[in-house]
């Protein structure tokens, strides 16, 4: 074979190297090009909304004669095709931090983010626990009749708590308010006498029922606090739940009336022995007006208690967070579980068991204060109507070194320690109505009086729009008058009857429902099926009212992936081999099966016969290591071999009949979803000779027992005859024995009368012996 000339070979190698490099670049940028290079794009805004990797070239006469969609592409692609840098519209993601606003607990305080559809930005928020905060504690006490003992205890425990809290706070202040329930039927007895004194049946003077009364604003004067507590009297109502949520919301939002200080920690101590009414309970009294979340105190009395519903739990949690209020529920043992279930719904809350007569109130409040301050948590809030267009992920970096992704809380934080939160904000889409209007987002540490204000500046438009140079500009009078170019396939309606043909290009109509776009205005983002809140599931384009899906998606709403990867179970089979992958989810062949991969079926393995095929597979492969691999797909997840299966006590014993007239014992452990099989290595074989021996043994034993029983019966009969012969009452006189005992030639004849005598009469007839021949004569 002829060898090639060296310079020629070097040239070939160099060309191959260049070709490989180009292929690598194409592979890396292929996804961006596929997204940006589409005939569906007709404007700069359409291009930028495709994703952060897409850019638009506004250079005049760029790619003269090409379709307008060719102006959209990746940044590298536009540069390669000759678009100058000054004409490329490619707004980038920016994060601008304002450090001019000082903070002692939360930093930074202000952040500006520039985002475009598909882009995301990341920033850090640091929260530091200070030592010896000023504390405002507001007592919100249920004064229904059952709380009499706790109210009496509060008269002495309040002062002791004030002294102890001074060890943990530089400035401790208290306030007081009371609640019962809405003063309407069926919550209270509306008889005139009961309205004035709900306890008249017990000859006790009680105060009238009320929704919420603000009694004492936050104060340092413990003497005044003690005096107010001494003046409190109980009230009464009829039903079990109380109006606690009504009172809590008013105590949280009426900042000026309560006297909450901006620089202090706000603790709302709720003392009750009953659960609270929920929002829909108000309809029992004919109240249908939803709570507006505002303060309605007039002369320190909640004025809307009879006209406005109880707040929802979500509404209450939101108002507590907005006003930086920690909530402490001091309840008795019976209602502890009810309030404990609220902890996951109300951030910055704590529940403690209140002992009889509130004997542990002081320790409960101190422990709750320490626990609430040791938990550092942030809540993300986006202004109304905009949250669905953004995705937010938070990662917490706790002082102990732990990193928790997707969590917004660190526990066990001590004073002067700092907790860092990494917040990632992604923009899903632009708003069709608001355009480039800024969106406000807040990062608020629970219970802190400081927060981070995040301003999201949406980059949904193009700068070239303002100058009118987003694409080639042709003079109107130079445009051809034909409209064939504006018709789909040259014969359809002009611009699909949803636009105007100008210069051979469709200018689509605007619609309040969404955007109309496309070469012939055949595309929109509102007339096709929705999936997960997105037109065509975000995986296709809406063309003439039908979804045109991307290559990897299918279905009417492009919500079904073509790939079956999401249906692959751990054993590498689709739906564990027990179902089909339909729209990315497993549909089990057997209705008894369940689970994400049809792996669960507790009743499928309850019979011994259901595992015979598995046992047969292991036996045919020798009960060795090879059997585990060969039988993995047809057997239970765990199969083991044992020498003595009788040692296993948990499960169900089964037998497998083999072809050699032997039986293998195995055990099913049904403790898990699928049974674990334990197969005995040693078979139990049953031969015909053994059957003969067993039969012969049983036969001999039966004969022996029969002979023995006959012998015993014979002995008993003989003993009975002997005893009859020796009985004197049944014997004749011995001297007349020969005269009275008949011989063989005598007949004994007994005559019977109508009335039998006490003893039978016997007559003897002696017949002489004759020859047999004479008898026949």
């Amino acid at each position: 074979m002829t060898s090639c000339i060296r310079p020629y070979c070097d040239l070939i190698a160099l060309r191959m190297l260049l070709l490989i490099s180009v292929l690598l670049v194409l592979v890396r940028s292929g996804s961006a090009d596929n997204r940006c290079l589409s005939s569906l794009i007709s404007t700069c805004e359409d291009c930028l909304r495709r994703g952060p990797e897409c850019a638009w070239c506004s250079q005049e006469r760029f790619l003269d004669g090409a379709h307008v969609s060719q102006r959209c592409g990746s940044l590298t692609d536009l540069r390669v095709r000759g678009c100058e840098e000054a004409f490329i519209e490619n707004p980038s993601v920016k994060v601008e931090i304002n450090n001019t606003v000082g903070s002692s607990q939360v930093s930074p305080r202000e952040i500006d983010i520039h985002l475009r559809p598909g882009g995301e930005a990341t920033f850090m928020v640091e929260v530091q626990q200070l030592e010896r905060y000023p504390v405002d504690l507001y007592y919100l006490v249920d004064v229904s009749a059952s709380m009499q003992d706790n109210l009496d205890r509060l008269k002495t425990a309040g002062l002791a708590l004030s002294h102890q809290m001074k060890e943990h706070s530089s400035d401790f202040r208290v306030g007081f308010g009371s609640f019962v329930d809405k003063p309407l039927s069926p919550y209270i007895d509306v008889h005139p006498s009961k309205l004035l004194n709900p306890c008249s049946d017990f000859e006790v003077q009680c105060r009238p029922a009320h929704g919420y009364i603000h009694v004492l604003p936050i104060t340092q004067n413990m003497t005044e606090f003690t005096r107010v507590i001494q003046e409190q009297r109980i009230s009464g109502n009829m039903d079990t739940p109380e109006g606690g949520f009504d009172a809590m919301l008013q105590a949280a939002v009426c900042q000026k009336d309560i006297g909450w200080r901006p620089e202090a920690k706000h603790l709302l101590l709720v003392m009750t022995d009953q659960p609270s009414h929920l929002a829909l309970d108000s309809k029992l009294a004919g109240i249908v007006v939803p709570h507006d979340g505002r303060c309605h105190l007039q002369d320190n009395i909640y004025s809307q208690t009879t006209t406005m519903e109880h707040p929802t739990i979500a509404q209450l949690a939101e108002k507590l967070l907005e006003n930086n209020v920690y909530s402490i529920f001091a309840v008795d043992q019976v209602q502890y579980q009810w309030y404990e279930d609220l902890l996951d719904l109300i951030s910055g809350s704590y529940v403690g068991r209140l002992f009889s007569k509130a004997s542990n109130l002081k320790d409960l409040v101190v422990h709750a204060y320490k626990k609430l301050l040791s938990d550092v948590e942030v809540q993300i809030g986006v202004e109304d109507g905009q949250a669905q267009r953004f995705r937010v992920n938070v990662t917490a970096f706790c002082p102990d070194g732990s990193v928790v992704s997707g969590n917004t809380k660190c526990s066990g934080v001590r004073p002067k320690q700092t907790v860092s939160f990494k917040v990632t904000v992604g923009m899903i889409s632009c708003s069709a109505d608001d355009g480039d209007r800024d969106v406000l987002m807040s990062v608020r540490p629970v219970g802190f009086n400081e927060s981070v204000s995040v301003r999201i500046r949406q980059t949904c438009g193009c700068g070239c729009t303002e100058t009118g140079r987003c694409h080639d500009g042709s003079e109107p009078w130079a445009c051809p008058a034909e409209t064939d170019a504006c018709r789909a396939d040259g014969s359809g309606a002009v611009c699909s009857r949803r636009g105007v043909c100008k210069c051979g290009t469709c200018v689509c109509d605007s619609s309040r429902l969404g955007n109309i776009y496309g070469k012939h205005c055949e595309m929109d983002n509102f007339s096709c099926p929705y999936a997960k809140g997105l037109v065509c599931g975000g995986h296709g384009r809406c063309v003439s009212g039908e979804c045109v899906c991307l290559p990897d998606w299918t279905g009417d709403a492009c919500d079904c992936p073509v790939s079956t990867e999401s249906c692959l179970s751990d054993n590498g089979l689709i739906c564990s081999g027990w179902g089909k992958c339909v729209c990315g989810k497993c549909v089990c062949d057997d209705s008894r099966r369940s689970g994400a991969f049809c792996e669960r079926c507790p009743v499928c393995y309850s019979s011994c016969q259901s595992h015979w095929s598995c046992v047969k597979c292991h036996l045919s492969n020798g009960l060795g290591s090879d059997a585990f691999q060969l039988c993995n797909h047809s057997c239970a997840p765990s199969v083991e071999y044992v020498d003595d299966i009788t040692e296993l006590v948990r499960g169900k014993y089964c037998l497998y009949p083999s072809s050699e007239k032997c039986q293998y014992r195995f055990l099913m452990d049904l403790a898990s979803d699928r049974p674990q099989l334990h197969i005995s290595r040693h078979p139990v074989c049953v031969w015909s000779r053994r059957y003969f021996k067993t039969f012969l043994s049983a036969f001999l034993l039966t004969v022996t027992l029969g002979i023995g029983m006959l012998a015993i019966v014979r002995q008993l009969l003989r003993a009975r005859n002997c005893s009859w012969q020796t009985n004197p009452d049944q014997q004749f006189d011995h001297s007349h024995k020969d005269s009275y005992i008949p011989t063989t030639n005598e007949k004994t004849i007994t005559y019977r009368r109508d009335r039998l005598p006490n003893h039978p009469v016997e007559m003897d007839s002696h017949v002489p012996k004759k020859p047999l021949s004479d008898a026949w004569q």
Side-chain angles (χ1 to χ4, degrees):
M1 184 176 65
T2 305
S3 61
C4 66
I5 302 175
R6 183 176 182 83
Y8 181 72
C9 293
D10 292 342
L11 181 60
I12 294 177
L14 180 60
R15 289 180 177 177
M16 293 295 294
L17 182 61
L18 291 174
L19 180 60
I20 293 174
S21 300
V22 172
L23 289 175
L24 290 175
V25 173
L26 290 176
V27 169
R28 292 180 179 177
S29 61
S31 59
D33 293 340
N34 291 336
R35 182 184 294 271
C36 303
L37 299 180
S38 173
S39 60
L40 305 177
I41 300 173
S42 59
T43 64
C44 178
E45 287 78 7
D46 289 342
C47 177
L48 297 186
R49 295 185 182 192
R50 302 286 291 186
E53 65 273 17
C54 298
W56 178 267
C57 180
S58 61
Q59 183 177 347
E60 294 185 13
R61 304 303 177 187
F62 174 67
L63 296 178
D64 223 359
H67 189 268
V68 66
S69 63
Q70 296 296 315
R71 292 183 174 275
C72 185
S74 65
L75 184 61
T76 303
D77 176 60
L78 292 179
R79 288 171 179 170
V80 170
R81 289 192 282 155
C83 185
E84 298 179 12
E85 193 75 28
F87 297 96
I88 296 179
E89 294 282 340
N90 184 32
S92 59
V93 175
K94 296 180 182 178
V95 178
E96 300 174 351
I97 299 176
N98 185 1
N99 291 319
T100 60
V101 181
S103 174
S104 58
Q105 302 176 79
V106 182
S107 63
R109 294 293 300 276
E110 294 182 357
I111 298 177
D112 286 351
I113 298 177
H114 297 259
L115 279 179
R116 56 182 292 187
E120 62 179 27
T122 300
F123 56 90
M124 299 295 295
V125 174
E126 293 185 347
V127 181
Q128 184 180 27
Q129 280 283 26
L130 299 182
E131 193 173 12
R132 294 180 61 81
Y133 284 99
V135 175
D136 291 344
L137 174 64
Y138 189 79
Y139 288 87
L140 189 59
V141 181
D142 175 8
V143 293
S144 57
S146 58
M147 290 288 291
Q148 177 68 66
D149 292 341
N150 295 332
L151 187 61
D152 293 340
R153 176 62 178 172
L154 184 60
K155 298 175 183 179
T156 57
L159 187 61
L161 175 61
S162 175
H163 290 302
Q164 187 164 349
M165 281 298 296
K166 289 181 180 180
E167 301 177 3
H168 307 280
S169 171
S170 59
D171 186 4
F172 181 71
R173 302 184 182 186
V174 295
F176 183 84
S178 65
F179 69 91
V180 182
D181 207 341
K182 290 183 180 295
L184 293 172
S185 177
Y187 309 125
I188 67 170
D189 192 337
V190 294
H191 190 274
S193 63
K194 294 297 182 66
L195 291 176
L196 297 176
N197 181 15
C199 308
S200 59
D201 290 344
F202 305 97
E203 298 181 357
V204 177
Q205 185 63 37
C206 292
R207 64 191 300 185
H210 56 275
Y212 165 62
I213 296 179
H214 169 50
V215 181
L216 179 67
I218 301 293
T219 180
Q220 277 184 311
N221 191 343
M222 293 306 299
T223 302
E224 178 67 12
F225 175 78
T226 304
R227 184 190 66 80
V228 168
I229 298 299
Q230 295 289 344
E231 294 177 352
Q232 296 303 307
R233 290 182 300 148
I234 61 171
S235 182
N237 61 331
M238 293 181 63
D239 63 339
T240 298
E242 315 292 4
F245 286 175
D246 250 352
M248 288 181 65
L249 191 140
Q250 292 301 302
V253 300
C254 298
Q255 293 274 316
K256 294 182 180 179
D257 299 273
I258 303 301
W260 297 115
R261 293 176 293 168
E263 71 279 5
K265 290 290 184 183
H266 303 161
L267 302 182
L268 180 61
L269 175 61
V270 181
M271 296 178 59
T272 182
D273 61 351
Q274 299 296 342
S276 176
H277 279 295
L278 303 178
L280 297 180
D281 292 352
S282 307
K283 291 179 171 54
L284 295 173
I287 303 175
V288 296
V289 179
H291 204 292
D292 59 5
R294 298 177 182 177
C295 178
H296 296 284
L297 285 184
Q298 294 182 3
D299 297 330
N300 293 329
I301 299 176
Y302 177 36
S303 61
Q304 300 296 318
T305 183
T306 59
T307 59
M308 196 172 290
E309 283 188 339
H310 294 280
T312 64
I313 296 178
Q315 191 177 27
L316 175 62
E318 179 185 0
K319 294 304 177 181
L320 291 172
L321 179 63
E322 287 181 1
N323 295 278
N324 312 313
V325 177
Y326 289 113
S327 53
I328 303 174
F329 297 102
V331 300
D332 65 355
Q333 178 67 33
V334 177
Q335 304 300 335
Y336 180 84
Q337 185 62 48
W338 194 91
Y339 283 93
E340 188 180 37
D341 294 338
L342 295 177
L343 297 185
D344 294 333
L345 305 176
I346 302 178
S347 300
S349 58
Y350 176 89
V351 59
R353 294 180 175 87
L354 191 64
F355 295 167
S356 177
K357 298 183 180 180
S359 58
N360 66 325
L361 178 63
K362 178 182 64 174
D363 296 333
L364 187 152
V365 174
V366 173
H367 182 269
Y369 175 74
K370 293 180 179 179
K371 179 66 172 61
L372 290 172
L373 261 65
S374 67
D375 293 340
V376 178
E377 179 181 5
V378 296
Q379 292 286 338
I380 309 296
V382 182
E383 63 178 284
D384 294 341
Q386 304 296 325
Q388 71 275 6
R389 297 196 296 109
F390 299 92
R391 59 179 182 273
V392 181
N393 183 55
V394 180
T395 301
F397 297 85
C398 302
D400 59 1
S402 61
V403 179
V404 186
S405 179
N407 195 0
T408 62
K409 181 177 180 180
C410 286
S411 300
V413 181
R414 297 190 298 273
K416 296 184 178 181
Q417 288 186 333
T418 301
V419 181
S420 299
F421 297 94
K422 183 176 74 172
V423 183
T424 301
V425 182
M427 184 175 174
I428 299 174
S429 63
C430 289
S431 173
D433 300 329
D434 298 334
D436 292 345
R437 184 178 70 84
D438 295 344
V439 177
L440 297 179
M441 186 182 77
S442 64
V443 182
R444 183 182 299 274
V446 177
F448 285 69
N449 52 16
E450 299 175 5
S451 62
V452 182
S453 176
V454 182
R455 183 180 298 273
I456 303 175
R457 303 186 183 274
Q458 305 177 85
T459 309
C460 297
C462 296
C464 62
T465 306
E466 301 174 359
T467 62
R469 298 179 59 186
C470 280
H471 50 77
D472 292 343
S474 302
E475 298 297 332
W477 54 83
C479 297
E482 327 159 322
T483 60
D484 291 344
C486 295
R487 299 175 185 271
D489 300 328
S491 60
V494 176
C495 300
S496 304
R497 295 191 180 91
R498 302 200 296 180
V500 179
C501 184
K502 292 184 178 180
C503 301
T505 302
C506 288
V507 178
C508 302
D509 298 336
S510 61
S511 173
R512 291 181 297 176
L513 300 177
N515 295 330
I516 300 175
Y517 57 97
K519 182 179 180 180
H520 303 104
C521 299
E522 75 280 11
M523 318 283 291
D524 61 64
N525 62 353
F526 56 85
S527 63
C528 284
Y530 281 69
K532 297 181 179 179
L534 300 175
V535 177
C536 300
H539 304 122
R541 289 292 177 263
C542 184
V543 181
S544 301
E546 295 183 358
C547 289
V548 178
C549 304
L550 296 176
D552 295 334
W553 296 87
T554 185
D556 293 339
C558 299
D559 56 342
C560 295
V562 176
S563 172
T564 59
E565 184 178 356
S566 59
C567 296
L568 290 178
S569 53
D570 294 338
N571 58 8
L573 298 177
I574 294 178
C575 302
S576 305
W578 301 105
K580 301 178 182 62
C581 189
V582 179
C583 198
K585 296 182 179 179
C586 287
V587 177
C588 304
D589 296 333
D590 191 340
S591 60
R592 298 175 300 173
R593 292 190 170 273
S594 61
F597 303 102
C598 300
E599 75 280 7
R600 302 187 60 186
C601 187
V603 299
C604 292
Y605 305 97
S606 59
S607 65
C608 295
Q609 289 82 356
S610 60
H611 298 285
W612 279 7
S613 60
C614 179
V615 177
K616 179 180 179 181
C617 180
H618 282 270
L619 292 176
S620 60
N621 289 280
L623 298 180
S625 58
D626 295 338
F628 287 107
Q629 300 178 357
L630 295 174
C631 305
N632 184 36
H633 298 314
S634 61
C635 293
S638 177
V639 177
E640 69 171 356
Y641 310 137
V642 295
D643 292 325
D644 188 3
I645 200 170
T646 59
E647 294 181 355
L648 305 177
V649 296
R650 187 181 67 176
K652 180 179 180 180
Y653 285 98
C654 298
L655 291 175
Y656 172 74
S658 65
S659 59
E660 292 85 8
K661 298 182 180 178
C662 293
Q663 294 179 334
Y664 281 85
R665 302 183 68 184
F666 64 95
L667 180 136
M668 296 187 304
D669 186 354
L670 300 177
S672 59
D673 290 337
R674 295 190 64 177
Q676 312 300 307
L677 296 186
H678 307 271
I679 304 175
S680 175
R681 291 191 179 94
H682 308 293
V684 179
C685 298
V686 182
W687 301 92
S688 59
R689 183 177 301 174
R690 181 178 175 181
Y691 280 124
F692 176 75
K693 291 181 179 179
T694 303
F695 172 76
L696 183 60
S697 300
F699 176 76
L700 294 177
L701 180 61
T702 304
V703 171
T704 304
L705 291 176
I707 295 174
M709 292 179 63
L710 290 175
I712 294 173
V713 171
R714 182 179 179 184
Q715 292 296 329
L716 292 175
L717 292 176
R718 293 180 63 183
R720 181 178 180 184
N721 292 335
C722 292
S723 61
W724 180 79
Q725 293 177 2
T726 57
N727 191 342
D729 295 333
Q730 297 180 355
Q731 290 183 348
F732 294 102
D733 185 75
H734 190 267
S735 59
H736 302 283
K737 180 177 179 182
D738 295 337
S739 304
Y740 288 96
I741 298 178
T743 62
T744 56
N745 295 323
E746 296 175 344
K747 292 183 179 181
T748 302
I749 300 176
T750 303
Y751 290 92
R752 183 175 180 182
R753 300 179 180 177
D754 293 338
R755 182 177 180 182
L756 296 178
N758 293 335
H759 299 283
V761 178
E762 297 182 357
M763 296 182 65
D764 295 334
S765 175
H766 300 274
V767 180
K769 293 182 180 180
K770 292 183 179 182
L772 184 60
S773 57
D774 296 338
W776 286 98
Q777 292 179 0

